[in-house]
Amino acid sequence: EKSRHHSTLHCTMSLSTAAVATRPGLVRASSRRVRTVTRAGPAGHDQMTGTVSRRTAFVLAGVAGLVPQINPSPACAIDLATYAVSGRDLDIDPVDTSNWQELDSGVRFVVDKASEGNVERGITDVVSYYVPNPFVEVRYTAYVANTGKAFASSDAARRPYNFQAGVKDEVQDETGGIPDMKVGEKRRFVVPAELCFKRRVFGLTAPKDADVLIEVELLNLQPY
């Protein structure tokens, strides 16, 4: 007699057949598999029987152990507080932007380091070219433009900042900013206060009633 802890798997199959009157002798069959599991319970208890799916039967048979399981790592939330600047180490003198290029929106910018993009990977267009919104990695510092006071920076967090460009419509997503940059490019741009109203800058609240100066380098771009 087998041990009371031994489990057996019984499979029964019912086959229903329907004739198709398109051609004599032609029969089209459809089948449905029902797998019944009978498992011995503890001593003094009745056996438990239930109908399970093919997938469950596959697992119970132990065959699934041969297939490697891929468990994706949990998403790591960005701690935005680490990008906030608390001291004065990153502060700069106010910048004269009178000779910078200005757009109709009022955004002013200057390219400090031009780039042809990531030629090796064939990513040679500006961020806005890649639709829908691509993922980008940047190194940046954001300042109150008229004082040079830094309020957010990847240097403060000691790591680059990653986000999906344009999705949250933040200040850095303004035309003249990151959307017009190529991988490897460095630029500075100023966004006027009226365009910063009730918006965020790299996830952090923009200073109230102040133009925002952003100094940024586009490190990487991954099309969606």
Side-chain angles (χ1 to χ4, degrees), residues 34-132:
V34 178
R35 297 174 182 268
T36 303
V37 176
T38 302
R39 183 179 297 276
H45 294 272
D46 295 335
Q47 290 185 336
M48 299 176 291
T49 302
T51 301
V52 298
S53 65
R54 294 180 61 188
R55 179 187 177 96
T56 304
F58 184 70
V59 174
L60 291 175
V63 184
L66 301 177
V67 181
Q69 299 296 318
I70 301 176
N71 297 317
S73 301
C76 298
I78 297 176
D79 185 0
L80 294 174
T82 61
Y83 290 87
V85 177
S86 57
R88 302 182 60 88
D89 294 343
L90 298 176
D91 293 356
I92 60 174
D93 293 330
V95 178
D96 179 12
T97 63
S98 59
N99 61 342
W100 290 11
Q101 185 172 341
E102 184 171 358
L103 304 177
D104 292 340
S105 63
V107 174
R108 301 183 300 280
F109 70 92
V110 62
V111 176
D112 295 314
K113 177 188 173 184
S115 174
E116 295 182 357
N118 190 332
V119 178
E120 182 179 349
R121 293 183 58 200
I123 301 176
T124 57
D125 290 288
V126 298
V127 171
S128 60
Y129 172 82
Y130 299 94
V131 178

Side-chain angles (χ1 to χ4, degrees), residues 139-219:
R139 183 180 294 117
Y140 80 95
T141 301
Y143 310 86
V144 176
N146 63 343
T147 65
K149 171 66 178 175
F151 65 89
S153 178
S154 56
D155 289 342
R158 298 184 179 181
R159 62 179 179 273
Y161 183 83
N162 299 271
F163 70 105
Q164 193 172 0
V167 169
K168 296 183 178 180
D169 189 30
E170 297 186 324
V171 172
Q172 70 272 10
D173 295 315
E174 281 291 329
T175 300
I178 289 178
D180 294 332
M181 297 180 66
K182 295 182 179 182
V183 176
E185 181 180 326
K186 291 182 181 180
R187 73 166 55 191
R188 288 173 292 167
F189 58 98
V190 174
V191 181
E194 56 268 25
L195 294 181
C196 299
F197 183 67
K198 290 188 176 181
R199 294 174 75 187
R200 291 181 173 269
V201 183
F202 296 103
L204 298 174
T205 303
K208 187 177 180 180
D209 300 326
D211 294 356
V212 172
L213 166 65
I214 297 176
E215 184 179 59
V216 63
E217 178 184 6
L218 181 57
L219 303 175

